[in-house]
């Protein structure tokens, strides 16, 4: 089972928190170059900087067998940010 085909909006909130997901919703249209693989998602997200931020998210299972994410963003926050939320939401909407 591919995690990129099966995660839900509730999973995104569990991983990033309701606040970040709320902020990320307004950036979904700023997502470009969305690349969805079986266990990873990457994209560019235009934020307040001149250049878009680069987002990379990989999926893994924890010891209980639950899907988790390892996310990276080139924004100052670097991880668990609104750009990662926007990327996950954009991939979810593309299904």
């Amino acid at each position: 089972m591919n995690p990129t085909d099966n995660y839900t909006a509730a999973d995104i909130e569990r991983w990033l928190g309701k606040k970040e997901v709320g902020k990320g919703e307004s950036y979904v249209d700023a997502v470009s170059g969305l690349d969805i693989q079986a266990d990873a998602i990457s994209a560019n997200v235009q934020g307040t900087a001149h250049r878009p931020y680069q987002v990379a998210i990989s999926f893994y299972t924890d010891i209980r067998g639950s899907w988790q994410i390892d996310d990276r963003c080139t924004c100052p926050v670097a991880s668990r940010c609104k750009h990662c939320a926007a990327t996950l939401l954009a991939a979810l909407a593309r299904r």
Side-chain angles (χ1 to χ4, degrees):
M1 174 166 46
N2 294 341
T4 57
D5 291 336
N6 294 290
Y7 72 87
T8 65
D11 290 324
I12 301 171
E13 281 194 9
R14 183 171 52 85
W15 296 325
L16 303 178
K18 193 171 190 169
K19 183 177 178 182
E20 288 307 314
V21 172
K23 291 191 286 186
E25 288 172 346
S26 63
Y27 282 82
V28 171
D29 290 337
V31 175
S32 64
L34 189 62
D35 182 30
I36 304 169
Q37 302 297 319
D39 61 354
I41 299 171
S42 61
N44 297 314
V45 182
Q46 186 63 56
T48 55
H50 178 67
R51 289 180 147 179
Y53 297 118
Q54 298 173 339
V55 175
I57 301 165
S58 59
F59 294 79
Y60 67 94
T61 54
D62 63 16
I63 59 172
R64 294 185 209 142
S66 298
W67 288 112
Q68 301 297 325
I69 60 168
D70 179 23
D71 63 314
R72 302 277 186 260
C73 182
T74 57
C75 77
V77 177
S79 177
R80 303 292 199 250
C81 64
K82 61 189 172 191
H83 310 106
C84 292
T87 298
L88 288 164
L89 291 166
L92 186 65
R94 184 178 275 191
R95 287 195 213 144

